[in-house]
Amino acid sequence: MARLNAELFAQYAEIDNVLLSTLDVDDFVDLEALRREVQYPPFPREDLRAPLVPPIPIPDPPLPVQHQPDAPSGLFGKKKKIADAQAAADAQYAADYYAWQQATQELPARRAAQDQQFAAAEERRNNDLNRELSKHRAICERAERAVAEHNEQLDELITGLGYGSPEAVQEYVGIVLANSVYPDEFPVTHSASFEPATAELKLRVIIPGPDTIPNTKSFRYVKASDEIVASTLAQKDAKERYAGAVHNVALRSLHEVFEADRRGLIHAISLELGTETISPATGRETYVPFVAAGVSRAAFLELDLSAVTPSATLEHLNATVSKNPSTLTSISTTGVKRV
């Protein structure tokens, strides 16, 4: 139970502090830090580099030895036994000698076959090595091309940003906002377009709907039923939490863009924040805007966001804000005043 409550309160704290959590973070992105160096993968078949160890040559067969038969035992027929034993020894020697001759004659062919087998194995190793080296070179070349392309695009972005080109400004803002870390349970996405004639950035922010925020107040143990039950958060508290998230994300998005734009290329931001949901009327996906604001850089940089009440700040910035975003109450996005 304690763990469940701790996880729940931590989740609420992350959502409630999405603005404060970014104020100590420098949102500027040093594009040079995004430059890459080629990371070459290790060659996976180092074992193929070592030549094979030649086999031990087939040795010469040993010369046969003619053994003298043992002296026969007994007193009778000794001569015959000696003669028979000698004949057997002579026959064995003759057979051994013939086998030795055969083995000696076959030896050159066997050694040649052994050499051929070794040469074939060494050739296979070399072929395998060359094939693996070729594959590895191809991988390294692809890595080199990818890094070269990335760094070339980075150079183009840096150059474009120096000239204030719309594409470069939009890409840089996309990088900045992609670095913005929100709670896993509350993902936020952004899209932007830049108008160089007015130096105004049009920024659209999409947040999750109100149904993504838990409506649990806490967990408690009920002894009678031996179970953990959840108590429901008051509707007023749930509404305030979601409205607070709407206000906080709106100010955070403005803050991150203006802070990251150290060159002051963006003079103003036209912000629109809302959610995508299923329309109960049509059953189709629809966009519901909650906040619309036109804010100049000068006016925004006068704020001390660490000490503001976000709803009051949006009012100060003449933003149009939904009176009840938790019920998907939309706003009109026409006629928004800029400060």
Side-chain angles (χ1 to χ4, degrees):
M1 181 180 64
R3 178 181 59 81
L4 292 175
N5 282 324
E7 291 175 352
L8 178 67
F9 299 153
Q11 183 178 349
Y12 283 154
E14 283 188 325
I15 295 172
D16 294 342
N17 293 305
V18 291
L19 174 59
L20 292 177
S21 64
T22 195
L23 298 183
D24 292 332
V25 177
D26 185 358
D27 297 298
F28 171 75
V29 176
D30 180 6
L31 294 178
E32 285 294 341
L34 301 181
R35 199 170 296 282
R36 295 178 185 171
E37 294 183 358
V38 182
Q39 301 295 322
Y40 294 102
F43 182 56
R45 295 299 309 273
E46 289 292 341
D47 58 300
L48 293 174
R49 292 188 189 275
L52 297 178
V53 178
I56 298 174
I58 300 172
D60 293 336
L63 281 168
V65 177
Q66 184 169 14
H67 299 284
Q68 292 300 319
D70 296 332
S73 59
L75 299 176
F76 302 101
K78 197 170 183 179
K79 283 186 178 183
K80 186 175 185 312
K81 290 179 181 178
I82 291 174
D84 291 345
Q86 187 62 52
D90 292 343
Q92 183 61 53
Y93 176 73
D96 292 344
Y97 190 82
Y98 177 76
W100 175 81
Q101 282 184 316
Q102 288 293 108
T104 301
Q105 291 170 0
E106 295 170 357
L107 190 57
R110 291 178 60 200
R111 285 175 174 168
Q114 184 184 50
D115 291 342
Q116 289 174 359
Q117 289 176 359
F118 174 74
E122 184 66 3
E123 183 179 5
R124 284 195 299 272
R125 179 193 67 81
N126 272 309
N127 291 340
D128 292 345
L129 175 62
N130 290 330
R131 184 176 61 253
E132 293 298 326
L133 285 171
S134 178
K135 289 165 58 178
H136 186 252
R137 276 195 301 271
I139 293 172
C140 291
E141 288 169 1
R142 285 198 297 271
E144 289 171 351
R145 287 195 298 272
V147 169
E149 290 172 5
H150 169 83
N151 290 339
E152 183 178 346
Q153 291 171 1
L154 186 62
D155 288 334
E156 292 175 359
L157 173 58
I158 292 172
T159 301
L161 203 59
Y163 288 109
S165 75
E167 296 80 6
V169 173
Q170 289 163 195
E171 186 175 352
Y172 177 71
V173 169
I175 293 171
V176 169
L177 295 176
N179 286 343
S180 184
V181 179
Y182 282 87
D184 293 338
E185 301 82 6
F186 199 80
V188 176
T189 59
H190 306 80
S191 59
S193 62
F194 182 65
E195 176 51 58
T198 59
E200 180 177 81
L201 183 79
K202 291 184 178 180
L203 181 63
R204 172 173 278 200
V205 185
I206 304 295
I207 67 171
D211 57 340
T212 60
I213 295 186
N215 63 352
T216 300
K217 180 179 181 181
S218 63
F219 296 94
R220 61 188 179 87
Y221 174 68
V222 179
K223 187 176 182 180
S225 58
D226 189 29
E227 61 181 351
I228 295 175
V229 298
S231 58
T232 304
L233 194 68
Q235 191 175 37
K236 176 177 177 294
D237 293 337
K239 288 181 178 181
E240 289 179 353
R241 171 161 284 119
Y242 188 69
V246 169
H247 306 155
N248 280 316
V249 172
L251 292 179
R252 171 171 171 162
S253 299
L254 294 168
H255 162 76
E256 289 175 336
V257 172
F258 279 132
E259 182 178 69
D261 177 27
R262 289 185 180 175
R263 298 187 184 188
L265 298 172
I266 301 169
H267 295 175
I269 296 177
S270 175
L271 175 136
E272 187 177 304
L273 180 148
T275 191
E276 293 175 341
T277 186
I278 301 300
S279 168
T282 65
R284 297 185 177 276
E285 189 172 274
T286 185
Y287 168 71
V288 181
F290 294 144
V291 177
V295 184
S296 71
R297 182 184 187 88
F300 194 81
L301 293 184
E302 290 178 355
L303 303 173
D304 178 4
L305 294 180
S306 65
V308 302
T309 300
S311 59
T313 303
L314 290 172
E315 184 178 354
H316 169 74
L317 295 174
N318 290 329
T320 302
V321 182
S322 169
K323 296 186 181 301
N324 192 356
S326 66
T327 59
L328 300 176
T329 301
S330 178
I331 60 166
S332 171
T333 56
T334 59
V336 177
K337 297 179 181 178
R338 181 193 295 177
V339 295

